[in-house]
Amino acid sequence: MRRRDLAFLALGIVVALALPRVLYSALALRILLWALFAVSVDLLLGYGGMLSFGHAAFWGGGGYAAALLAKTFELPFPLAALGGIACAMLLAAPIGYLAIRRRGIYLAMVTLAFAQMLFYVANEWRGLTGGENGVQGVPKILPGLSVGRTADFYYAALPLVLVGLFVAYRIVHSPFGHVLVSIRDNEARAQALGYPTQRYKLIAFVLSGGIAGLAGSLYAIGNSFASLDLLHWTTSGSAVLMTVLGGMGTLWGGAVGAAIVLLLEDSLSSVTEAPGVVTGAILIAIVLGFRRGLLPEAGRAIEWVALRRRGG
Amino acid sequence: MKRVIALAMVAAVMAAACGAAAPSGGGAPATAVKLTSGKLVMGVINDQSGVYADLSGKNAVEAVKMAVEDFKAKYGDNALGGQIEVITADHQNKPDVASSKAQEFYERNNASVIFDVPTSSAALAIAKVAGDQKRLYINITAATTDLTGASCNKYTFHYAYDTYMLAAGTGKWVTENLGKQWYIIYPNYAFGQDMEKSFRSAVTKFGGNVIQSDGSPFPNQTGDFSQLLLKAGQLKPQVLGAMQAGGDLVNVVKQYNEFKLKDQGIKLAIGLLFDTDITAIGQDNMAGVVYTTPWVWSMDDQAKSFADKFLKRTGIRPTFAHAANYSAAWQYMEAIRRAGTDDADAVVKQLEGYKFNDFFIRNGQIRAEDHWVMHDALLAQVKPSSEAKEKFDYSKVLGTIPADTASRPLADANCKK
Amino acid sequence: MDLGYLSVQLFNGLVNGAFYALLSLGLAIIFGVLGVVNFAHGAVYMLGAFAAYLLLQQVGIGFWPALLLAPLGVALLGVIVERLLLRRVYGLDPLYGFLLTYGLTLFIQDAMRLRFGIQGQPYPTPTELSASVSLGVVGYPVYRLFVIAFSIAMCAAVWFLIERTRLGMVVRAATERGELTRALGIDVDRWVTAVFAFGIALAALAGVLAAPMRNVAPLMGSELIILTFAVVVIGGMGSIVGAVAAGFLIGALASLGAVWSPALENVIVFALMAVVLLVRPAGLFGAREAT
């Protein structure tokens, strides 16, 4: 790892540890898990060049699976999360397979539609999912420790989140990741070089879905319930918004985006009567002005300042 | 966070100022009230930007603030031995936001109670938080009977209405007076399914027969109910029971009129109806429709005087959700006076078994076993605009449903606190 | 299940199909010429319905003039948005157009909610069309038959415009060979705005048609847009015929499927989409792929 990466890593860990103290623990937990979710979206979007506007299917699929496992079998939450990851990947495989038959914006629309289908199925299957009421009363279990309080759960879940982030990092900085980027840049060339591009794209899709499933599992258990919101397309939209806001292709941009969006959302309702107007305006402003996203723009600003100071 | 507190403080100061202007009356409590933290913080969590924003929303917060001001006017500024603050948050109909906000209110703002909370998933999520944190939670705008059933706990109360009450009233009266053969359509999610079940059992209990019931997709993607309404035209029941709410209901009624089902002798009974729905559909388009409600603003002088105050303050007549928030806040503060503290367990003891009447609750009693607030309900009918005395005068009262009939029998509750 | 009842349900399906067709048509045209997937199409449909409502409420203008005036007004708004905002994302990845219009959707829907409330506004059926026609067992609203007929006529007119007129030729040329067309001296950009406005007008027109039948509320288009996406995936984007045919077909199929199993109604369209993706990834009538 480069020195700069290590520095960022240290900074990130410090922030992650301090977050529940600075904000209230429920908000800190939400930021932590949405950050992981956004990172999974960026893995696919920034590095794979595939916009999934239906990632809520994996976040929610993982969430419901973990919630049901934790509640029915009273599993410790890491095991339940494992089940959630598995479920998310099982969903990502067929959806990804069908989605990658198209490209670009079509792929986005296909993922959106499938996620919506899953939403309606969950809504129908009331016996399993509790329908509108959701799966309530999900226990937080860790043998030997009491993790019922949100602050305690936050620190208990943090290692798992770090593992998820690490996995994303390793995927990107690996031969697989490099091939993925080359496919993003020029699929025909990659094919000409002999790479089975569809297989790479599918694997990326499933891995990304798995990470989203991990985030969703911890979210459902952390909240003590899984509800239909987890699967709604606006949830997918929020994750994409966070990724774009923070910067596509930066991997950590999503985390920054998540923090900003959630903090805004938290304070917006007491400041304005129309949160949708503000959110929409922000998204428009980003697309028009800060297309690269905040992290790269901030990076550029820092470089610019540094250059000025050096150059005089 | 700071802004919320700042705004709330401004509100509290203003409320105090208003309270000081009015003459303080009423007696002091037998023992002076000692608040656990020196001040009382009451939270209102509801939907302020989505589907329930009109029928509860910001105006429900206003109702709670009104209650605080009037309480101080009656008992003096120091009625509860300290400042009274009202804080609010928009849960956007998302249960995770609701749960998060409830935790913030209880932990960070030291709120002693949370009111309102529409949307069943959010309502149930906050019940869990209230139970964990051992703080009071008085739900008003959600309809799910799970609040006094599977998800009940010592600190959760269900105040204004639930699906059982709606069915007990309308199902009984309509079956006895309008028609025995029913066709029920309901939105296919927990609320709708509960309503269908409740209505089916109420109708059958009072001698009627549900020919068939069909679910409409929920959420509804197209806004089109023509398939079911056509089916109604074919089945020719005496009564069409529609359990849809909000925007879906508007579509159902619009299309019911479009297909001229009334002319075919199929009367319309609606499960849950708010005044805001009538505004959207148009009073005359709904004339004759029968429904159950806990309260109508024009029902009597007591209700009307509250409605006048509310109209002056907000520009609209109160829905029953608005009125219930005021009433619940008032009763909560009274309970604190009786208990001499806002400590949750002491207040719960004062609330359990409490019998009372106010402009909203008639023949009220808070059941100790499941914390359902028993009270009379009303059978109402939408009247044509020609009979309306003023702009929001939508409904007339046909009859009263006594508290016992309107409340789910304890045996069915399944509440283990 | 008797045939008469089924065929009446079929009419219901065609009414839904009419909306899908008009919306996907506008979406396809805009995508074809601008390369932008207009997420805000559902919001535009809503604006069309509100425009009709406001025309009636504020100015006393009824349904028939509103059929022309409302789409014109909304299209004008569309021109402003296109000039100010959309044109900045033309050369870029379609993702940005998608995100931009998504932001617009959030903005418009919440702004309308702020102004009008969430519940909805009443809008009456035009008196000339408020009768019922007896179709066997049931009386069927004449207005719905009008919606079907009018939409088919509109779609046919659009097809004629695109396929058979000089303007249509220019539009097609601009779509498929943008640089060459420009090199030949044809001011493509001028047409881009007009075509966008036209696509918007179609969506707004659908909104006006919906106003007597559906709740005129800020969120009335928010679920419909997702369905419309599924329809264009099935029909194949960039194909006018595909959009219209798929629209009516899916409307009919969904309605009949729902009669058979009501629980499936929400899911049918997406299931159809999955099947099409398996069998014919480019769409039933599909021609072009996005890059």
Side-chain angles (χ1 to χ4, degrees):
Chain A
M1 273 199 204
R2 290 154 49 203
R3 258 227 309 227
R4 197 189 69 172
D5 283 355
L6 275 170
F8 276 131
L9 177 64
L11 178 65
I13 291 188
V14 167
V15 169
L17 286 171
L19 210 57
R21 306 294 164 92
V22 174
L23 309 165
Y24 60 101
S25 41
L27 182 59
L29 185 64
R30 289 177 63 216
I31 291 180
L32 183 71
L33 296 172
W34 275 93
L36 185 59
F37 187 21
V39 165
S40 79
V41 170
D42 194 23
L43 178 63
L44 209 54
L45 175 61
Y47 294 90
M50 295 175 265
L51 169 63
S52 164
F53 217 90
H55 243 52
F58 316 125
W59 157 272
Y64 269 101
L68 287 167
L69 284 170
K71 184 173 179 185
T72 323
F73 301 110
E74 296 193 356
L75 286 181
F77 78 87
L79 285 179
L82 223 59
I85 296 173
C87 177
M89 290 171 87
L90 277 170
L91 284 168
I95 293 180
Y97 176 75
L98 285 173
I100 60 178
R101 284 166 92 83
R102 308 302 296 273
R103 288 201 193 91
I105 208 67
Y106 293 93
L107 188 152
M109 289 184 357
V110 169
T111 56
L112 172 54
F114 273 121
Q116 205 50 356
M117 177 158 102
L118 195 65
F119 172 84
Y120 288 122
V121 167
N123 184 47
E124 268 310 307
W125 203 347
R126 195 189 171 208
L128 186 69
T129 65
E132 238 263 324
N133 288 347
V135 177
Q136 298 283 341
V138 177
K140 304 188 192 56
I141 302 171
L142 192 59
L145 290 170
S146 130
V147 287
R149 273 186 61 225
T150 308
D152 296 334
F153 184 79
Y154 177 95
Y155 289 112
L158 187 56
L160 288 178
V161 173
L162 289 175
V163 167
L165 291 170
F166 181 69
V167 168
Y169 180 83
R170 287 301 290 149
I171 291 174
V172 163
H173 295 279
S174 72
F176 174 85
H178 293 145
V179 173
L180 195 64
V181 169
S182 79
I183 294 175
R184 177 198 76 191
D185 288 339
N186 192 329
E187 185 163 350
R189 182 177 59 195
Q191 276 177 336
L193 285 171
Y195 287 108
T197 55
Q198 290 295 87
R199 198 186 309 165
Y200 271 84
K201 290 198 289 190
L202 181 58
I203 293 176
F205 207 95
V206 172
L207 287 172
S208 165
I211 297 176
L214 170 63
S217 303
L218 294 171
Y219 198 75
I221 296 178
N223 279 321
S224 304
F225 63 84
S227 70
L228 286 174
D229 270 43
L230 293 174
L231 293 165
H232 199 251
W233 69 265
T234 48
T235 299
S236 304
S238 294
V240 173
L241 167 61
M242 292 170 186
T243 308
V244 173
L245 174 55
M248 292 189 289
T250 61
L251 206 61
W252 313 126
V256 172
I260 295 179
V261 168
L262 286 172
L263 283 169
L264 256 178
E265 203 181 74
D266 199 60
S267 50
L268 262 184
S269 60
S270 46
V271 168
T272 165
E273 296 220 350
V277 168
V278 177
T279 314
I282 290 177
L283 183 51
I284 294 173
I286 295 168
V287 172
L288 291 181
F290 300 97
R291 206 162 304 126
R292 265 179 264 255
L294 284 178
L295 224 56
E297 295 284 353
R300 274 212 312 184
I302 294 175
E303 277 170 26
W304 181 82
V305 166
L307 258 168
R308 286 287 299 272
R309 292 180 68 200
R310 226 180 292 146
Chain B
M1 293 348 97
K2 289 210 185 98
R3 274 194 243 199
V4 172
I5 297 178
L7 275 172
M9 290 214 154
V10 170
V13 167
M14 282 173 55
C18 293
S24 40
T31 52
V33 176
K34 194 167 189 316
L35 296 171
T36 49
S37 62
K39 85 172 177 205
L40 177 67
V41 178
M42 305 199 288
V44 182
I45 298 182
N46 57 20
D47 173 19
Q48 296 175 13
S49 56
V51 284
Y52 302 115
D54 289 347
L55 60 91
S56 89
K58 289 230 145 95
N59 283 331
V61 183
E62 281 305 303
V64 172
K65 290 186 182 158
M66 276 171 70
V68 172
E69 290 164 23
D70 292 348
F71 198 82
K72 285 190 174 159
K74 180 169 181 193
Y75 293 115
D77 272 356
N78 214 29
L80 295 181
Q83 253 189 346
I84 309 176
E85 216 182 286
V86 177
I87 57 178
T88 171
D90 179 0
H91 69 21
Q92 301 162 35
N93 292 316
K94 295 189 188 148
D96 48 345
V97 177
S99 173
S100 175
K101 282 293 178 185
Q103 288 182 62
E104 182 193 353
F105 277 11
Y106 287 141
E107 283 176 21
R108 262 199 162 202
N109 302 98
N110 216 2
S112 306
V113 66
I114 289 181
F115 294 109
D116 210 6
V117 199
T119 304
S120 312
S121 49
L124 294 172
I126 294 189
K128 173 116 196 345
V129 174
D132 289 344
Q133 305 251 355
K134 302 198 193 329
R135 300 285 177 97
L136 247 66
Y137 165 48
I138 303 181
N139 182 288
I140 287 155
T141 322
T144 172
T145 45
D146 280 0
L147 280 168
T148 51
S151 295
C152 76
N153 60 52
K154 180 176 175 192
Y155 301 95
T156 297
F157 292 81
H158 198 185
Y159 201 81
Y161 78 117
D162 66 8
T163 54
Y164 183 90
M165 170 190 280
L166 298 173
T170 309
K172 176 177 192 287
W173 193 93
V174 171
T175 307
E176 289 175 350
N177 293 289
L178 285 186
K180 294 207 175 338
Q181 302 298 323
W182 282 65
Y183 172 54
I184 297 181
I185 61 176
Y186 62 96
N188 213 349
Y189 69 119
F191 167 76
Q193 289 157 351
D194 283 345
M195 289 288 273
E196 190 271 340
K197 237 184 354 208
S198 305
F199 264 82
R200 181 185 279 274
S201 91
V203 167
T204 325
K205 183 159 136 191
F206 292 106
N209 171 42
V210 177
I211 310 173
Q212 204 171 327
S213 48
D214 282 321
S216 63
F218 184 86
N220 195 295
Q221 298 182 71
T222 56
D224 188 41
F225 294 88
S226 52
Q227 187 224 335
L228 293 176
L229 291 168
L230 264 179
K231 191 165 176 182
Q234 242 212 345
L235 285 173
K236 295 212 189 314
Q238 290 168 309
V239 180
L240 171 67
M243 304 297 129
Q244 281 74 8
D248 281 355
L249 177 63
V250 176
N251 279 323
V252 168
V253 177
K254 244 180 154 161
Q255 289 157 29
Y256 165 85
N257 287 331
E258 222 194 316
F259 282 93
K260 304 210 183 339
L261 293 180
K262 196 175 7 183
D263 297 346
Q264 294 182 43
I266 303 172
K267 302 193 185 59
L268 183 62
I270 293 182
L272 176 62
L273 186 64
F274 285 91
D275 283 359
T276 40
D277 298 323
I278 303 177
T279 312
I281 300 172
Q283 190 173 358
D284 287 321
N285 291 328
M286 294 199 75
V289 166
V290 174
Y291 64 105
T292 299
T293 174
W295 187 82
V296 176
W297 71 261
S298 55
M299 64 189 274
D300 59 20
D301 288 334
Q302 216 191 347
K304 204 164 178 305
S305 97
F306 169 77
D308 287 339
K309 258 192 317 197
F310 193 85
L311 177 68
K312 210 157 38 170
R313 185 154 169 152
T314 65
I316 60 163
R317 291 288 185 188
T319 63
F320 75 74
H322 299 141
N325 272 290
Y326 182 106
S327 168
W330 184 278
Q331 295 303 334
Y332 172 75
M333 290 188 283
E334 287 279 11
I336 293 182
R337 270 173 66 84
R338 292 195 303 275
T341 167
D342 65 339
D343 168 66
D345 292 314
V347 175
V348 167
K349 255 232 231 18
Q350 288 300 324
L351 288 173
E352 285 180 345
Y354 185 57
K355 293 197 169 85
F356 65 105
N357 278 291
D358 67 11
F359 76 97
F360 176 79
I361 298 274
R362 313 299 165 95
N363 289 319
Q365 180 180 6
I366 304 181
R367 284 209 296 222
E369 294 86 343
D370 62 351
H371 289 183
W372 162 248
V373 179
M374 293 174 64
H375 61 278
D376 291 348
L378 300 171
L379 211 290
Q381 185 176 45
V382 181
K383 53 187 176 185
S385 56
S386 52
E387 289 176 31
K389 295 192 204 80
E390 55 173 277
K391 189 172 171 206
F392 290 101
D393 186 19
Y394 290 143
S395 311
K396 63 181 182 221
V397 176
L398 293 179
T400 307
I401 301 141
D404 281 316
T405 317
S407 305
R408 178 172 61 160
L410 271 173
D412 300 339
N414 213 0
C415 167
K416 295 174 186 50
K417 281 203 263 93
Chain C
M1 191 117 296
D2 67 292
L3 216 55
Y5 176 67
L6 268 181
S7 45
V8 177
Q9 293 291 7
L10 183 66
F11 274 113
N12 280 337
L14 289 176
V15 170
N16 287 334
F19 289 118
Y20 296 154
L22 284 172
L23 286 175
S24 349
L25 190 54
L27 206 66
I29 289 176
I30 292 175
F31 182 75
V33 176
L34 278 71
V36 169
V37 177
N38 185 22
F39 205 104
H41 226 56
V44 172
Y45 159 85
M46 178 265 294
L47 287 176
F50 265 96
Y53 162 76
L54 285 171
L55 281 172
L56 184 62
Q57 261 280 323
Q58 312 282 40
V59 200
I61 293 180
F63 179 76
W64 298 105
L67 272 177
L68 182 65
L69 292 174
L72 266 175
V74 178
L76 211 66
L77 270 172
V79 167
I80 297 174
V81 165
E82 192 266 336
R83 299 238 140 211
L84 281 181
L85 300 175
L86 270 184
R87 108 182 349 230
R88 314 261 282 268
V89 297
Y90 281 160
L92 308 172
D93 194 304
L95 158 68
Y96 291 109
F98 194 65
L99 287 175
L100 179 67
T101 49
Y102 177 55
L104 269 172
T105 307
L106 294 176
F107 187 92
I108 295 173
Q109 284 179 344
D110 213 31
M112 292 300 277
R113 177 197 62 83
L114 208 61
R115 172 68 187 79
F116 292 101
I118 197 78
Q119 275 298 74
Q121 312 298 328
Y123 193 85
T125 314
T127 34
E128 301 86 354
L129 294 173
S130 55
S132 278
V133 153
S134 169
L135 287 181
V137 192
V138 286
Y140 200 74
V142 167
Y143 183 73
R144 287 183 175 240
L145 296 173
F146 166 75
V147 167
I148 299 176
F150 188 82
S151 310
I152 293 179
M154 270 314 292
C155 292
V158 171
W159 179 85
F160 187 81
L161 266 177
I162 301 269
E163 298 286 318
R164 291 292 160 91
T165 66
R166 190 180 153 72
L167 169 62
M169 192 168 64
V170 171
V171 165
R172 261 183 302 144
T175 311
E176 292 166 29
R177 289 279 192 273
E179 280 134 33
L180 184 57
T181 314
R182 282 176 176 86
L184 287 173
I186 299 178
D187 186 358
V188 173
D189 292 334
R190 171 161 135 238
W191 296 117
V192 155
T193 306
V195 168
F196 180 74
F198 187 67
I200 295 292
L202 277 176
L205 179 64
V208 177
L209 287 173
M213 290 192 311
R214 304 279 160 83
N215 190 20
V216 178
L219 294 181
M220 69 192 284
S222 63
E223 304 280 332
L224 199 54
I225 186 66
I226 315 284
L227 267 177
T228 310
F229 285 152
V231 169
V232 291
V233 170
I234 294 175
M237 275 234 283
S239 164
I240 310 287
V241 174
V244 174
F248 280 107
L249 193 66
I250 289 169
L253 277 175
S255 198
L256 291 175
V259 170
W260 177 59
S261 168
L264 285 185
E265 186 166 341
N266 268 339
V267 192
I268 285 179
V269 179
F270 302 117
L272 275 172
M273 186 190 73
V275 169
V276 167
L277 278 170
L278 269 174
V279 172
R280 270 187 74 107
L284 289 177
F285 305 89
R288 323 165 38 225
E289 278 249 10
T291 37

